[in-house]
């Protein structure tokens, strides 16, 4: 059995390897931000990682570690609205702070196959699913949450869940 702090739950389940699972309380709460920026790099004509979970208000550093120039185009996936479009020479970086929760498409129009997803959430109860397809989110207070599932290829899915007891098992459908 997975242990958790007294009165808190461990939320477990299965989902596609590499997906992101996030639990956002249905009653708005504020949580401290992680220290330091999240990193989305470009090398080998790829964005690495291909799916990056960040917190709303956390700095994200978009880097170019390739030996040639790239650009970074970020659009809000739900509306297609442009967030930014910057060119990066080799070893340059651009920092951006996402102010709205949601899913963002990241591309480089210089190299058409380069794509990534940034998932911005207000919740610290967020994990990336491991290679075995399992996940565990520890120390979740009891209550009602919106569970978000973002597969590695993007495509946000949400459902309401109730977290209670020492362990809550989620069955998230792709």
């Amino acid at each position: 059995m997975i242990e958790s702090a007294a009165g808190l739950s461990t939320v477990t389940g299965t989902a596609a390897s590499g997906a992101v699972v996030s639990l956002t309380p249905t009653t708005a709460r504020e949580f401290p931000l992680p220290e330091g920026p999240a990193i989305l790099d470009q090398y080998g004509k790829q964005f690495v990682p291909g799916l990056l979970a960040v917190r709303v208000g956390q700095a994200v550093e978009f880097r170019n570690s390739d030996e040639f120039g790239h650009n970074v185009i970020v659009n809000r996936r739900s509306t297609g609205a442009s967030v930014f479009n910057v060119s990066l020479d080799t070893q340059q970086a651009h920092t951006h702070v996402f102010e709205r929760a949601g899913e963002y498409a990241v591309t480089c129009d210089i190299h058409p196959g380069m794509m990534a997803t940034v998932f911005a959430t207000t919740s610290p109860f967020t994990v990336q699913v491991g290679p075995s397809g399992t996940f565990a989110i520890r120390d979740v207070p009891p209550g009602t949450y919106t569970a978000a599932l973002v597969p590695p290829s993007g495509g946000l899915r949400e459902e309401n869940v109730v977290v209670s007891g020492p362990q809550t098992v989620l069955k998230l459908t792709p």
Side-chain angles (χ1 to χ4, degrees), residues 22 30 32 37 39 56-57 63 73 78 87 97 105 124 128 138-139 141 144 149 171:
S22 184
E30 291 201 23
I39 308 291
V56 169
R63 295 180 181 170
I73 301 167
S78 63
S87 295
V97 174
Q128 194 140 27
R138 290 176 175 71
D139 300 330
T144 304
L149 170 67
K171 292 182 181 7

Side-chain angles (χ1 to χ4, degrees), residues 102-127:
E103 191 179 11
Y104 296 85
V106 183
T107 59
C108 170
D109 66 3
I110 297 171
H111 305 102
M114 292 181 63
M115 294 180 261
T117 298
V118 172
F119 176 64
T121 179
T122 57
S123 177
F125 307 116
T126 303
V127 295

